[in-house]
Structure formats: C-alpha cells, structure tokens
Amino acid sequence: MSSHSQSHRGLVAATLLAAFAVLCGAGTLAAAQDQPPPQWELFGGYSFFYPGTDVHGMLPGGLVPVSSRLESNPRGIGASVTYNFNRWFGLTVDSSGHWGSGEDGLDRLDDAGFYNVSVGPKLTFRRAHFAPFIEAMVGWHRLSSDTFGSDNRVGFIGGGGIDVPLSKHFGLRLIQGDYAVSNHHFGASSIVPSTTVEGVRLQSGLVFMFGGGGPAAPVAASCSVTPSEVMVGEPVAASATASNFNPNHTLTYTWSSTGGTVSGKDTTATVDTNGVAGGSYTVTAHVSDPKMKKGGEASCSSNFTVKEPPKNPPAMSCTANPASLQAGGSAAITCNCTSPDNVAVTVGGWSAPGGSISGNGNTATLNTAGASPGPITVSATCTDSRGLNIQATTLVAVENPPVSPEVRQLEARLALHSIYFPTAQPTVQNPDGGLLASQQQTLLSLAGDFRKYLEIKPDANLILGSHADPRGSVEYNQALSERRVERTRHFLIEHGVPDASIETKAFGKEQNLSDAQVRDAVEQNPELTPEEHQRILKNMQTIILASNRRVDVTLSTTGQQSVRQYPFNAADSLTLLKQEGTKKTPRPATKKKAKPAAQP
C-alpha cells in the first residue's frame, strides 16, 4: 500500500474518532431542552469532500489499466431535509455535490467529482443551546473522473455533527463530519480493479426549522404522603416529584404544613404531629429553579389526617368490707378505677345518704353511727386527666343490734290488749271519767313496762289510736274519740310515761272493725269456752258496737299493735257492754215526736 493510501486512511480514522467523541460526550448530557423540537429541519451550506482513493481505469486505446491518485480536494455544497418524529428521532434525506480542479484551474488527470443522494435515520440529543446528532444513510453515489468518466453506485454515509439553535426557526450547523463508502468500476471488472471510495465529508452552514415548536411544557410538581392517616405523635413522610424542569439545574424545595412541624429541604420531608389536634391537614412543597428567569416555579400539595387517641371513659368498681354491719359500726370502701386509654385517673367525690363518709384517694370509711337500719348506697367518682368521669356505687347493709332477752320480754309484754270504754264515755262534763278499773290495770302494766323499755331504747314511742262505734254523728264521734285518746294519754303521763314519748290519733267512726273481723276475734279468743263462744255469738250486734269503743296502742320501734280482743272475763265487762246513754244518729223528721237519742 502506498504512503498516500496510508495517510488517507489515518485522516479518515482520526476524523471519525473525533466526531464520535464529540457526539458521545454531548449525548451523555442530553435529555431535555426548554423548547420542543421542530417538525422539519432544512440544512444548506458548504461541503468539503476528501475522496482518499486511487482511481483505476483504461486510457483510450490502452491495453493495460492505469491508476492515478486523486490528489485534488473536491469542494461543493450540501443540503438535507429532516422530518422529526419526536425530539430525538428523525428521518433525513441528504444530498451533496463536489467537483475538483487544480490550483491553476486546469483540468487534470487526478481531478474528480463526487455526488450523492442518501436517506437514513437521524438521532438528535437536543439541549437548550446546542443539539448534537448522529446519522446513518444509504443511497446513490456518483464518482466522476475527467479521464475515465463517471460511475454510479449504492453507497453509505454515516457520521454526526453539532447544531447551535439561534432562535426558534434559525440555527447554525457548526460542523458535520461524515464517513462515505462506495465501490466504483471504470472498465471491465475482469481487467480493471475497482475504485473504492473511503472519504471524509465535512459540512457547515445554516439550519432552518419549521413546524412543531409549540410552547414548552410548563414545569410541574406532584406530592404524596405516607401514610395518609396517622395517630397523634406519629410522623408523616412527604415526597415531591418535579417535572419539565431542566435536569442540569439544581432545584430548591421549600416545605410547609398546616399542621405539625415539617422538616426537609430536598425532595422529601417529615411532618412531626406531636401535639396536633385531630383533623385533616395539608403539606405543601414549593419547587423553584433559580436559573430560570420566568416560569421556573411549581407547587404541589397532599393531604393527611391526624386521628386523636380514643377517648374512652374510665371504668370503676367499688366494694365494701364488711358489706353488712350493725348500726354504729364502720365499713372500709375501696374503689378500683382504670382507664382503657392508659391515662392518669383520680378517685373522689365520696357521698352516702346515711352515716358519715370520709375518703382519701380510692379508699374511704363509712361510719354508720346514727344511721337507720337498711341499705346505705356509697358512691364515688373517678375522673381521668382528660376530664372524662364515671360514678360507681356499693351497698352497705345496716342492721339493728341484737335484741337482748330482756328487751324481747319487754316488747312481748307491751303487746297488751287495747283499752275499751263504756258507751259515750268520757263525757264533755267529765273528761277524766270513763276509764274502768280493768282498763286502768292494763294501762298501769303498759306504763311500767314502757318506762323500762325507754331506758334501753330512749327513742321509742307509744302511738294511741282512738275509735267510736258508728251510732253517733261524724262530729260527735270525732269529739268522743278525741276525749278517749286524751284520757288514755293523761293516765299514762300520770304514771311516769313522758309526754314526748306519746303520739295520739283520733279516728272517730272511721277505720272501725267490720262484723267479720269482730266475729273472727271472738272465735279466736283463747279465754272463752265453747259455751261462751256460742252465747256471745248470739249477741254479736252488741259485741260489735263494744269492740269499736276502744283505744289501740302501737309500739313505734317494732310496729306491733295491741291485741283488739274484747275483755269478756273482766269484772266490769258488762259495764263496757251497756248501750244506754248512746246518742244515735238522727233520723229524718217525722210527724211523731222523736225519742231521746242514745250515746255511743
């Protein structure tokens, strides 16, 4: 191989290596630009072609092929049109024409011309201020020799370059370097060797851009939070994604939140929800490009929900020890209170309707001194640190102290017979009369036993209830029953019973015993013989009237009432049975003169 051929191949290799180094370096930085790409690009400009080959052919009349080095450098023009499918990929139709001449302008043997029309893909790496590209094309190649003529073949051109956009529709192609390969024949192939073109094409010129070129997509940002729902005190992670910004610029992120404390300066941030009330809040990211003079800001927001811990009221139960005691004793009350939400609780507000209660914390003491027998409800209130409260109660049963045998005997003796009066006694003229000897004896026994009873139970009372038989008028019977109860009260007072320990009631003829009740009392009377039962039952009307002329005695502490049985065996029982002097209830007036009314 000649030194010319070697130097030619070295130049081609160096040119291609330099072109690809520039393209690869620019391609690693290319990803986006501020303006969208044009749909059509039209290039036109100067084209330089270095064929770098020896041409082989037959001279006219020659018998042997000859070769000549194409030393001239054909110069010409180049043009191309590219249709861009998107910002990176396009289809290019390329054409160029080159013709050569000696330095003196005379045609020489080594003068040659090179022309091509090729088509192929183009890949452009667009940036804001320059657009490197690479391309590979196949098409028609024509090599012309002044000596041997012209030959048309299919050839390949591949390479790249750099465009500099100067405006939306106009730019400058700084340099384009291509490697061209084609194989030509000037003569019979069996005699004349082929002429292989391995040349370098260099171009520079103007670029015109049309179509496309709509407004650049506006910058934007999107936000998200994880998780979107938290309990108070749990953190919220927020992130922001910016789009349509220049990837080579450093963006500034500013975070804010309507609730909680937000920390973060890049694409992620954290919201601290400690102390935040339950509700819905918004975290916002503001993204800006300091290098963009206009339209370099975007914001995004995302919502999150903070839930407060559950607010369940406390639970409490109370117990008494002992749960049953005699009046005057004390019971320990204990209340256990807990919070389902594990917050602090306190117990207080002790109260009791009987006795006295004193408490400290969750324990209290119930003193039943002075309390009446029966259940006492002790209550307390438990309150947590949030103000939620609940009340609980427990029962303490207060019992009467044990009754001694002596008291039982006294109470049994106090259950005496009722006191009976004769008809119409005592009278208005003699209010201290009417109390027969047998009945006074009954009251004397009652007074003696009751005085002893008061020594044991000083709060006991005797309740006296007076009645009259139904024969008198309402007014008369009421006044009569009042005289009877007062006569009985005075007798008891005269024999040592305190006035304060006696209560009196006058019923008149109200609440009288019925016929059936009197008959039953007679039949149940253990003091009568069967013959006496029969004789008395034959005079029931008289017995019924006498049975309602009485004063009943009730003991307040036990509620026991005197036995309402007529004293048939008393020495003065017949006096009690007499009906003379009874004032009967007036009848309607008649023409006959009314007889004097009897006294009840």
Side-chain angles (χ1 to χ4, degrees):
M1 182 182 293
S2 67
S3 61
H4 292 289
S5 177
Q6 291 177 352
S7 62
H8 164 68
R9 293 182 183 275
L11 178 60
V12 170
T15 301
L16 293 178
L17 287 174
F20 278 102
V22 171
L23 293 174
C24 292
T28 59
L29 300 175
Q33 72 173 38
D34 292 340
Q35 296 294 331
Q39 191 168 15
W40 295 93
E41 290 178 291
L42 177 62
F43 165 74
Y46 175 77
S47 182
F48 169 85
F49 182 74
Y50 180 77
T53 186
D54 294 333
V55 60
H56 306 283
M58 295 287 291
L59 293 173
L63 299 175
V64 179
V66 296
S67 298
S68 176
R69 182 68 180 179
L70 297 178
E71 295 293 348
S72 63
N73 298 320
R75 299 163 178 83
I77 59 174
S80 66
V81 59
T82 301
Y83 177 81
N84 294 307
F85 296 98
N86 52 45
R87 66 183 312 104
W88 300 283
F89 181 73
L91 182 65
T92 297
V93 176
D94 178 271
S95 176
S96 62
H98 310 84
W99 52 92
S101 63
E103 295 179 357
D104 54 3
L106 300 176
D107 291 336
R108 298 173 180 255
L109 181 63
D110 56 0
D111 287 342
F114 181 78
Y115 308 88
N116 85 288
V117 176
S118 304
V119 62
K122 178 182 178 183
L123 188 62
T124 305
F125 305 93
R126 302 181 188 278
R127 296 188 54 79
H129 303 295
F130 58 93
F133 64 89
I134 57 176
E135 58 186 2
M137 297 172 288
V138 176
W140 170 76
H141 288 198
R142 179 184 179 90
L143 181 63
S144 298
S145 171
D146 291 342
T147 303
F148 302 114
S150 299
D151 184 67
N152 299 314
R153 300 289 176 174
V154 175
F156 168 81
I157 292 180
I162 298 177
D163 291 342
V164 177
L166 301 178
S167 68
K168 182 177 180 181
H169 300 291
F170 178 73
L172 177 64
R173 181 161 295 179
L174 292 180
I175 184 68
Q176 177 178 343
D178 296 306
Y179 172 59
V181 178
S182 57
N183 195 12
H184 300 272
H185 292 277
F186 296 97
S189 59
S190 59
I191 301 175
V192 180
S194 63
T195 298
T196 301
V197 174
E198 293 180 305
V200 174
R201 187 181 71 174
L202 300 177
Q203 293 180 328
S204 180
L206 301 178
V207 180
F208 300 91
M209 294 167 282
F210 307 96
V219 296
S222 61
C223 291
S224 62
V225 294
T226 304
S228 60
E229 185 175 281
V230 297
M231 300 296 292
V232 172
E234 294 180 346
V236 176
S239 62
T241 302
S243 56
N244 301 326
F245 283 90
N246 192 315
N248 295 322
H249 293 176
T250 300
L251 304 181
T252 300
Y253 292 82
T254 304
W255 291 90
S256 62
S257 177
T258 58
T261 302
V262 63
S263 58
K265 59 181 181 179
D266 295 322
T267 58
T268 60
T270 301
V271 181
D272 183 359
T273 63
N274 278 309
V276 177
S280 180
Y281 299 94
T282 302
V283 60
T284 301
H286 181 76
V287 186
S288 61
D289 184 350
K291 294 184 179 180
M292 290 183 66
K293 297 180 179 180
K294 184 178 180 181
E297 297 182 352
S299 296
C300 63
S301 299
S302 187
N303 296 328
F304 63 93
T305 301
V306 177
K307 297 181 66 178
E308 294 185 356
K311 289 186 177 181
N312 298 305
M316 184 170 68
S317 61
C318 298
T319 57
N321 185 24
S324 177
L325 73 168
Q326 295 179 8
S330 297
I333 313 299
T334 303
C335 291
N336 294 321
C337 182
T338 58
S339 171
D341 303 332
N342 296 319
V343 298
V345 295
T346 56
V347 178
W350 293 94
S351 64
S356 60
I357 187 78
S358 58
N360 182 17
N362 67 331
T363 60
T365 301
L366 174 66
N367 189 335
T368 63
S372 300
I376 296 178
T377 301
V378 180
S379 62
T381 301
C382 176
T383 306
D384 67 15
S385 57
R386 302 166 300 183
L388 300 178
N389 58 69
I390 191 173
Q391 190 178 67
T393 62
T394 187
L395 293 178
V396 177
V398 179
E399 301 173 349
N400 285 322
V403 180
S404 65
E406 181 182 3
V407 173
R408 291 189 183 276
Q409 292 175 3
L410 282 173
E411 290 177 344
R413 289 199 301 270
L414 289 172
L416 299 175
H417 292 280
S418 297
I419 307 302
Y420 291 85
F421 284 83
T423 299
Q425 295 293 326
T427 64
V428 176
Q429 294 78 14
N430 185 19
D432 294 331
L435 194 59
L436 300 184
S438 63
Q439 305 308 300
Q440 291 182 17
Q441 188 60 45
T442 300
L443 288 176
L444 285 173
S445 299
L446 175 63
D449 290 337
F450 187 68
R451 290 196 303 270
K452 295 179 182 179
Y453 191 70
L454 286 176
E455 295 175 0
I456 301 172
K457 294 190 176 183
D459 57 342
N461 286 333
L462 290 176
I463 304 171
L464 307 178
S466 177
H467 302 268
D469 69 44
R471 291 176 294 167
S473 65
V474 173
E475 294 78 8
Y476 178 85
N477 280 347
Q478 182 64 33
L480 178 58
S481 64
E482 290 176 359
R483 292 195 298 271
R484 285 171 177 169
V485 76
E486 283 299 312
R487 179 69 185 96
T488 305
R489 186 177 73 87
H490 286 155
F491 187 89
L492 291 173
I493 294 173
E494 290 170 357
H495 292 84
V497 177
D499 184 22
S501 298
I502 302 175
E503 299 179 26
T504 61
K505 298 178 181 179
F507 297 104
K509 61 180 180 180
E510 299 296 326
Q511 300 184 17
N512 278 351
L513 296 175
S514 65
D515 296 358
Q517 288 175 314
V518 175
R519 182 181 293 275
D520 184 66
V522 171
E523 294 176 347
Q524 299 297 326
N525 192 331
E527 298 176 355
L528 300 176
T529 64
E531 292 77 10
E532 291 174 330
H533 281 133
Q534 294 299 321
R535 186 173 64 252
I536 292 170
L537 291 176
K538 292 180 180 180
N539 298 282
M540 277 304 300
Q541 187 60 39
T542 300
I543 301 303
I544 291 172
L545 293 175
S547 296
N548 284 311
R549 297 192 291 267
R550 73 185 189 282
V551 174
D552 295 327
V553 183
T554 303
L555 184 62
S556 65
T557 54
T558 63
Q560 66 185 17
Q561 192 179 55
S562 57
V563 179
R564 295 175 294 183
Q565 286 184 342
Y566 186 81
F568 292 105
N569 293 330
D572 48 14
S573 63
L574 292 179
T575 303
L576 296 175
L577 287 173
K578 290 182 180 180
Q579 301 184 43
E580 288 80 0
T582 302
K583 184 179 179 181
K584 297 182 180 180
T585 302
R587 296 180 178 178
T590 62
K591 293 181 180 180
K592 295 182 179 180
K593 184 177 180 179
K595 296 181 180 180
Q599 301 295 318

